[in-house]
Amino acid sequence: MIAKQELVDGIRFAGARAAAISSYCQDWDHQLGHQWTSGDAFRHVAAVAGGASGLYGMLDSGVLSGLPAQRISENNTKAIDGLKEKSREDVARAIIDGHNASADFVATLDEADLAKVVTLGGYEMPKGEIVAQVWIHHALAHSYEASARWPLQ
């Protein structure tokens, strides 16, 4: 199980890296392997960056496991569309500010509660690991996907 301080530090790190790589991504209109562009992926990371306090309280309820994929997709599209007019710099700032807010929230949590195992979808894992999935791995995965152009030439 990830320790609380590792989680806090990891969230801040992921936000800083996602924001940094967004500034190096040359083509924000590059079409990814699904409906999003590179810019959409960064907008998505920005849109969810500050949401730890809202999601964390729902982990015990099981409500998240009942959300249909279509509804999640619609919410993602709405959030991305809400950031379409923001500059790259504004999106990067939202990524950093949001991740810092989420890290600040996580810093207030009890270690025992972070270690509590819950079910989310088909997974059973400690709440702290779910937070790591969303605010570390998720942010870095979308940022990598948005910015990687392989093979390099």
Side-chain angles (χ1 to χ4, degrees):
M1 190 357 244
I2 190 168
K4 180 169 72 171
Q5 192 57 53
E6 290 176 305
L7 187 55
V8 168
D9 293 343
I11 293 168
R12 291 187 199 288
F13 175 82
R17 296 311 314 143
I21 201 62
S22 74
S23 70
Y24 295 110
C25 180
Q26 300 299 310
D27 182 5
W28 273 41
D29 295 322
H30 177 79
Q31 184 63 53
L32 301 177
H34 48 77
Q35 74 273 16
W36 290 355
T37 64
S38 290
D40 292 339
F42 289 118
R43 290 179 193 99
H44 171 68
V45 172
V48 301
S53 63
L55 180 117
Y56 193 80
M58 292 187 272
L59 291 177
D60 287 317
S61 71
V63 69
L64 296 173
S65 291
L67 288 177
Q70 181 63 33
R71 182 158 172 221
I72 294 168
S73 178
E74 290 167 1
N75 288 341
N76 285 339
T77 298
K78 183 178 177 182
I80 289 166
D81 288 347
L83 295 173
K84 287 277 190 189
E85 300 304 317
K86 298 288 184 185
S87 70
R88 288 179 181 217
E89 294 79 14
D90 289 341
V91 171
R93 174 57 41 207
I95 291 170
I96 291 171
D97 290 349
H99 274 80
N100 285 339
S102 287
D104 290 346
F105 167 75
V106 170
T108 70
L109 298 175
D110 179 68
E111 288 267 5
D113 193 55
L114 285 165
K116 181 180 175 189
V117 174
V118 296
T119 301
L120 181 62
Y123 296 97
E124 286 186 7
M125 66 176 75
K127 290 163 68 174
E129 292 294 339
I130 293 170
V131 171
Q133 286 282 338
V134 177
W135 280 274
I136 299 172
H137 309 292
H138 171 257
L140 294 175
H142 278 306
S143 298
Y144 177 79
E145 172 195 34
S147 63
R149 302 293 182 260
W150 297 101
L152 295 177
Q153 296 182 27

